[in-house]
Amino acid sequence: MAERSTAAVDVADNSGDEPLTAEADQSTADGVAQNRERDTDNDEAQGSGGTERPGQKASPPELHSGHKLARRYRLEECVTRLDGFSSWRAVDEKLRRAVGVHILPADHSRARSVLAAARSSALLGDPRFVQVLDAVEENDLVYVVHEWLPDATELTTLLSTGPLEPHDAYQLVSQVASAMAVAHREGLAHLRLNPNAVLRASTGQWRIRGLAVNAALRGISSETPQRADTEAIGALLYAALTQRWPYENDAYGLSGLPKAVGLIPPDQVRAGVHRGLSELAMRALVNEGATASRHESPCTTPEELVKAIGEMPRIRPPEPVFTAPPEYQGTSYQQGTYGRPAPRPGVTQPVPAPPPPLQSRTGKALKWAVSALLIAALGLGSWQLADALMDQGGKSTKDSQTQTQDGSDKKDKQQPKPLRPLPVQGAQEFIAKGDAQHPGDVGKTYDGNPSTYWKTSTFMEGPPLAPFKPGVGIVYDLGSEQNLSQASAGLLYSGDHTTVELYAADSLSPGSLESMRKIGDATTSGATVTMKTAKPEKTRYVLVWITAMPYSGADANTYSTAGYKQAITEVKFAG
């Protein structure tokens, strides 16, 4: 991949107050209408974004279904044709997976900027964005290959059935805003962030497609890219809360606001809208930050929007609804009517008379005979049982005394010594790859206070951290060499699942994970984890290493967004 360059896509890192309106051509689709990777080219309806530069109207190359690019990507279905380029659903025959492909002639006026934008987007590598897999110029064609997500659903499709629940809308704005903040820190803007560009995966995670590439394909630029993307996020939140587009024009299958009314808060458009989310949407949109009840400063960058989201109280998911079980209905067998025909309604059924008892002379004699046999059998059985107990009484007493003495001697010899706690003298965060987590909080994991903790960063993929990180953890100093047999840790987040490994290290700052010796591991879905060694391990320094974390929602107390994360409250060692 080439060095990241944003000059080719006219993405500046400054922000402003007045967004420009985009003008784009109308698209025609050759694919099926319900295809999840379709695009909509109505930037004027979006109300924010950039300005499209008129370019050379190059004729699209003659391509068809079945055509192969690089002897690898087989085109399956064309989903968009617009202004000299086309977008396809294709198959990567080498890796046997579906991909998306944008194709345009190499002499197209935007070919250079599309290649630069695609390569810059690929270098970002953030899993919250649909990843660019390849960007190639070959045989008079420029094509960009990206992920295809068959299990994801566009926000446009989700809103066709109604607005989102407050918790889903909160997750949407939180994840999209934090992702765009990361992109802008790397000098990348989207400029076409609309309901067709935001997808929800089957896991509940929100993904963004077309970072920098969609704008480059259409020649869209902006002098205030951060403000444009922030306003677009506000429009997404507004639509998610109200099922209405926050401008007068209809767009993306949503009705616009009534003309001459202006931009009114979402909680005035639809009843029951969450008040905090309504104010947040107004702060992100072009409204000078004014809301129906308060006058907060406007959010002009994704970073400011992320900060505003962090100051909100956490919105919890709705409680699950349990349906009451149906009333119990006895079967015909339990009612004693098994094998009988069902009675007709309104007809009284005769009650069968019980059989007559044994009232004859023969019947009485039979009853007396059976009674006598039962009494005799009970007497004989009781006598045999008593005799057997008396014979074994003496033997069992002697045997039990002998066994008790032998057992007590063996237990005294084989009983393991109780484990003693090993105090921690110091600790330091271990970094195998990437950035540190929260090195200033490692002391809170052994301060004796379970309400304090050391927290990891929030990861978008999981539970395993690999391949983005091999793990995160802390090295502890036990003061001197100790025979370590067990380590336990209290965890802040429960769920599926947390995996913790235990390593013996040679110092408080080991060189690498490979230089240490693994002595135990454990996996849990609860709030505690205990790791036992196969035998006592003699070591002074111990690494508690987390390699997998559960998914948890956004937490205002820890200022963390939703994702895969974990925190250690107290660590204890014993040997």
Side-chain angles (χ1 to χ4, degrees), residues 40 43 56 78 122 130 137 141 149 154 160 179 187 201 230 239 254 320 346 357 390 405 441 468 487 507 524 526:
T40 300
D43 289 293
Q56 171 186 345
C78 181
V130 175
E137 179 180 357
L141 290 177
L149 307 176
E154 290 179 356
S160 63
T230 305
L254 303 173
M390 292 179 66
Q405 294 175 356
D441 294 337
F468 304 105
S507 69
T524 181

Side-chain angles (χ1 to χ4, degrees), residues 409-470:
D409 293 341
K410 292 180 180 179
K411 287 181 180 179
D412 292 340
K413 295 179 181 179
Q414 297 178 0
Q415 186 175 7
K417 296 180 180 180
L419 298 178
R420 63 182 181 88
L422 303 177
V424 177
Q425 303 299 326
Q428 181 174 307
E429 189 173 306
F430 175 69
I431 307 170
K433 178 182 177 182
D435 299 329
Q437 305 300 296
H438 292 86
D441 294 337
V442 295
K444 298 178 181 179
T445 62
Y446 60 95
D447 59 357
N449 184 2
S451 63
T452 60
Y453 47 80
W454 167 85
K455 187 178 72 68
T456 70
S457 300
T458 302
F459 299 88
M460 291 299 106
E461 298 288 344
L465 300 183
F468 304 105
K469 260 186 178 294

Side-chain angles (χ1 to χ4, degrees), residues 154-164 172 195 235-236 238-245 252-254:
E154 290 179 356
L155 179 60
T156 307
T157 304
L158 295 174
L159 294 180
S160 63
T161 59
L164 300 184
L172 164 69
L236 293 175
Y238 196 105
L241 296 173
T242 63
Q243 202 186 9
R244 298 287 293 269
W245 195 237
Y252 312 107
L254 303 173

Side-chain angles (χ1 to χ4, degrees), residues 37-378:
E37 292 283 334
R38 69 185 185 279
D39 204 353
T40 300
D41 298 284
N42 191 355
D43 289 293
E44 185 176 358
Q46 183 174 344
S48 65
T51 301
E52 179 181 355
R53 300 191 309 272
Q56 171 186 345
K57 298 291 182 177
S59 60
E62 294 296 331
L63 300 173
H64 55 82
S65 298
H67 184 89
K68 285 188 181 180
L69 299 173
R71 298 182 180 180
R72 175 176 179 176
Y73 304 111
R74 185 180 75 249
L75 303 182
E76 292 287 325
E77 180 183 24
C78 181
V79 295
T80 300
R81 287 190 190 276
L82 174 70
D83 194 16
F85 75 88
S86 58
S87 299
W88 294 75
R89 175 176 60 84
V91 174
D92 183 351
E93 294 185 337
K94 185 175 182 180
L95 297 180
R96 298 182 180 180
R97 63 179 178 180
V99 294
V101 183
H102 300 302
I103 307 174
L104 68 164
D107 59 353
H108 196 286
S109 60
R110 300 170 190 157
R112 301 296 98 195
S113 62
V114 169
L115 276 176
R119 290 167 179 171
S120 298
S121 178
L123 291 174
L124 181 61
D126 192 304
R128 291 170 292 189
F129 294 94
V130 175
Q131 299 296 299
V132 172
L133 306 176
D134 207 351
V136 180
E137 179 180 357
E138 181 182 60
N139 297 332
D140 298 328
L141 290 177
V142 168
Y143 57 89
V144 177
V145 183
H146 60 86
E147 284 184 292
W148 187 274
L149 307 176
D151 63 337
T153 307
E154 290 179 356
L155 179 60
T156 307
T157 304
L158 295 174
L159 294 180
S160 63
T161 59
L164 300 184
E165 294 290 335
H167 177 261
D168 293 335
Y170 174 77
Q171 291 295 324
L172 164 69
V173 68
S174 176
Q175 295 183 29
V176 172
S178 60
M180 290 309 304
V182 172
H184 278 281
R185 282 198 295 268
E186 298 297 327
L188 293 171
H190 197 291
L191 302 183
R192 279 190 51 79
L193 200 56
N194 54 51
N196 289 338
V198 180
L199 316 170
R200 185 169 69 180
S202 57
T203 59
Q205 180 184 1
W206 294 92
R207 305 284 298 273
I208 304 171
R209 70 179 173 200
L211 177 66
V213 175
N214 282 2
L217 283 169
R218 293 160 178 82
I220 297 173
S221 64
S222 174
E223 296 180 357
T224 57
Q226 295 200 51
R227 185 68 189 92
D229 282 342
T230 305
E231 181 186 354
I233 298 173
L236 293 175
L237 178 58
Y238 196 105
L241 296 173
T242 63
Q243 202 186 9
R244 298 287 293 269
W245 195 237
Y247 304 100
E248 292 184 354
N249 297 325
D250 299 345
Y252 312 107
L254 303 173
S255 300
L257 297 178
K259 297 183 183 300
V261 172
L263 185 60
I264 56 177
D267 55 1
Q268 294 184 17
V269 176
R270 179 181 291 271
V273 172
H274 189 277
R275 185 69 174 274
L277 293 177
S278 176
E279 294 180 352
L280 187 67
M282 297 300 287
R283 292 179 65 183
L285 290 167
V286 177
N287 194 39
E288 300 299 330
T291 65
S293 61
R294 300 171 62 185
H295 290 273
E296 298 283 356
S297 59
C299 297
T300 59
T301 67
E303 287 281 3
E304 294 177 358
L305 190 56
V306 170
K307 182 179 179 181
I309 295 170
E311 294 172 352
M312 291 178 53
R314 180 181 178 184
I315 300 177
R316 299 184 178 275
E319 295 293 335
V321 179
F322 298 98
T323 57
E327 294 184 1
Y328 173 76
Q329 296 180 354
T331 63
S332 59
Y333 176 79
Q334 293 170 330
Q335 295 172 353
T337 61
Y338 179 76
R340 301 177 190 170
R344 290 179 294 175
V347 179
T348 304
Q349 297 294 320
V351 179
L358 298 175
Q359 297 296 339
S360 62
R361 182 178 300 177
T362 304
K364 291 180 180 181
L366 182 59
K367 287 192 294 183
W368 281 109
V370 171
S371 300
L373 288 174
L374 288 174
I375 293 172
L378 289 173

Side-chain angles (χ1 to χ4, degrees), residues 378-428:
L378 289 173
L380 180 61
S382 301
W383 176 75
Q384 290 179 345
L385 179 61
D387 186 57
L389 291 174
M390 292 179 66
D391 289 342
Q392 296 180 3
K395 295 181 180 180
S396 62
T397 302
K398 296 179 181 179
D399 292 343
S400 63
Q401 291 177 355
T402 304
Q403 292 175 359
T404 301
Q405 294 175 356
D406 294 343
S408 61
D409 293 341
K410 292 180 180 179
K411 287 181 180 179
D412 292 340
K413 295 179 181 179
Q414 297 178 0
Q415 186 175 7
K417 296 180 180 180
L419 298 178
R420 63 182 181 88
L422 303 177
V424 177
Q425 303 299 326
Q428 181 174 307

